[in-house]
Amino acid sequence: MKKITIHKPDDWHLHLRDGDLLKLVLPHTAKDFGRALIMPNLTPPVITTSDAESYHREIMDAVDRDMDFQPFMTLYLTEDTDPGDVEDGIAKGIVKAVKLYPAGATTNSSSGVRDFSKINETLAVLSSNSVPLCVHGEVVDGHVDIYDRETEFIERVLAPMHKDFPELKIVLEHITTQDAIDFVLNTPDNIAATITVHHLVINRNHMFKGGIRPHYYCLPIAKRETHRQHLVKVATSGNANFFLGTDSAPHAIAAKESACGCAGIFTAPVAMAILAQVFENEDALDKLEVFTSLSGAKFYGVTPNPSFLTLGKESTPVEFPASIARNELEVSIFDPEFDLNWKVID
Ligand code: DOR
Ligand code: ZN
């Protein structure tokens, strides 16, 4: 069997939710990943250091004792965020990043930021502490076509922010366009981007193949095939400024299969198998570890995980379940719609 062993991956953008959903999805990340950066868009959001401490406890209570998994906490940035509290959270080691949601851009973002001038003091705190600002990079202006929202955000918000805070570490999350790739390639190394598993696999046609397919709906929305191809090229290139953040975002099936379905794709159980396949297709399996386990750690200033993960390639396609469930709650797992011969074996 063909095998590959890599330092245990990290997921630099993950939605774990809380309550039953947390208990349902967490083991699927904790199995394959050493650490994950946990998104704060709960209801209510994780805004203060004290919120992050409680949420951290809830996650740790849900982690199996024999799992070696560490959640890294983020704060949800609002116009009323207290920069002093952010500084305290950083000093305590609990706050690893702050997440900027433009208000209305995505799931549970209504407490996000409308007037970007109101967050300058917090950005100054992040900059002087070398703590990253993670950005959901889409404008919310209803006049802007949904497929252009990332590109507009880069021009209108991100480029000026980088100019005003040239030292600030920024991660442009879940990039979907060639424009985002170019922005990162043409800025210094304090600007990086995460790339999801699903954006390496689907283009915008997937949402409409044979009917409306809510399980391929996420934000930022998948773009044209040419953009997907550029994402695959840069993810598999070994460039350290592009690393894995799955944006694995579970929603109950009923919330997805609805007249107004939620954005979010749950990839955690199949993320590593799909990535191995994508990297092998590009003849770039030797770059998989850089993307999943080394570059993000370097950007966040931590050493790679000391443990390892081994993936093996079967001669026949591996079967993965279509969903996972706990009590009444069922969550659909991302289907890449191609055969997966890789699986995590150790
Ligand atoms: O598709 C998405 N789902 N995009 C986001 O930005 C949020 C996420 C969620 O929380 O469900
Ligand atoms: Zn997300």
Side-chain angles (χ1 to χ4, degrees):
M1 184 198 259
K2 188 168 172 182
K3 287 186 194 169
I4 174 170
T5 296
I6 58 177
H7 277 277
K8 205 148 192 212
D10 296 313
D11 185 347
W12 293 105
H13 184 130
L14 177 68
H15 297 271
L16 280 181
R17 318 299 191 201
D18 54 5
D20 260 3
L21 197 44
L22 167 67
K23 294 193 181 93
L24 173 62
V25 300
L26 175 60
H28 295 276
T29 290
K31 185 174 82 58
D32 294 350
F33 294 86
R35 298 165 294 210
L37 189 70
I38 311 303
M39 290 300 123
N41 62 333
L42 306 184
T43 354
V46 179
I47 292 175
T48 65
T49 295
S50 156
D51 296 340
E53 285 170 326
S54 317
Y55 188 28
H56 184 264
R57 269 194 299 277
E58 187 182 355
I59 295 168
M60 291 314 288
D61 286 347
V63 180
D64 261 10
R65 276 168 210 288
D66 58 337
M67 294 261 186
D68 180 19
F69 174 74
Q70 237 186 308
F72 279 5
M73 308 312 288
T74 61
L75 297 183
Y76 184 120
L77 184 55
T78 74
E79 292 180 1
D80 301 319
T81 288
D82 171 8
D85 179 62
V86 174
E87 192 134 44
D88 285 351
I90 294 168
K92 278 182 160 175
I94 181 86
V95 173
K96 295 293 199 293
V98 167
K99 178 71 188 270
L100 167 59
Y101 290 104
T106 187
T107 310
N108 294 339
S109 62
S110 56
S111 314
V113 177
R114 288 181 173 77
D115 176 354
F116 295 98
S117 71
K118 294 196 171 148
I119 60 172
N120 283 343
E121 272 187 65
T122 299
L123 299 192
V125 166
L126 295 179
S127 183
S128 61
N129 286 279
S130 292
V131 168
L133 177 74
C134 298
V135 177
H136 183 110
E138 289 192 285
V139 294
V140 290
D141 182 342
H143 298 297
V144 177
D145 191 282
I146 190 167
Y147 294 100
D148 298 331
R149 288 180 187 174
E150 183 173 278
T151 302
E152 288 277 328
F153 183 89
I154 292 167
E155 285 169 29
R156 287 197 211 171
V157 184
L158 193 59
M161 186 183 283
H162 173 52
K163 202 158 162 258
D164 290 346
F165 294 92
E167 308 289 321
L168 176 64
K169 284 182 142 182
I170 301 176
V171 185
L172 185 52
E173 299 291 332
H174 39 51
I175 59 168
T176 56
T177 58
Q178 168 80 62
D179 312 85
I181 295 171
D182 288 343
F183 183 77
V184 175
L185 290 177
N186 293 312
T187 45
D189 288 344
N190 57 318
I191 310 298
T194 53
I195 300 178
T196 74
V197 176
H198 49 279
H199 289 119
L200 293 175
V201 172
I202 61 168
N203 62 39
R204 63 193 200 173
N205 291 339
H206 277 77
M207 276 178 297
F208 308 111
K209 211 168 85 187
I212 185 111
R213 314 228 310 182
H215 296 289
Y216 293 114
Y217 174 59
C218 61
L219 289 170
I221 204 154
K223 307 296 192 296
R224 285 182 184 279
E225 173 62 7
T226 48
H227 290 286
R228 187 194 69 80
Q229 288 170 2
H230 286 297
L231 290 172
V232 170
K233 284 280 170 276
V234 82
T236 57
S237 72
N239 185 316
N241 292 330
F242 299 87
F243 48 84
L244 176 63
T246 66
D247 198 15
S248 179
H251 292 276
I253 286 183
K256 295 279 301 167
E257 296 176 5
S258 145
C260 187
C262 296
I265 298 182
F266 177 58
T267 50
V270 286
M272 287 311 301
I274 294 176
L275 287 174
Q277 201 79 56
V278 168
F279 276 64
E280 186 187 39
N281 293 348
E282 294 299 303
D283 217 0
L285 269 180
D286 60 328
K287 300 288 190 330
L288 181 65
E289 183 180 45
V290 177
F291 182 68
T292 63
S293 320
L294 304 182
S295 300
K298 186 169 166 221
F299 190 84
Y300 278 89
V302 293
T303 51
N305 289 304
S307 50
F308 291 86
L309 187 82
T310 300
L311 292 125
K313 188 181 182 188
E314 304 277 357
S315 52
T316 53
V318 179
E319 293 293 329
F320 288 92
S323 66
I324 55 171
R326 179 187 165 91
N327 305 325
E328 303 294 286
L329 192 59
E330 188 178 3
V331 175
S332 186
I333 299 172
F334 177 63
D335 176 1
E337 297 199 311
F338 51 67
D339 284 347
L340 282 177
N341 287 67
W342 288 89
K343 68 173 186 194
V344 173
I345 54 178
D346 190 22

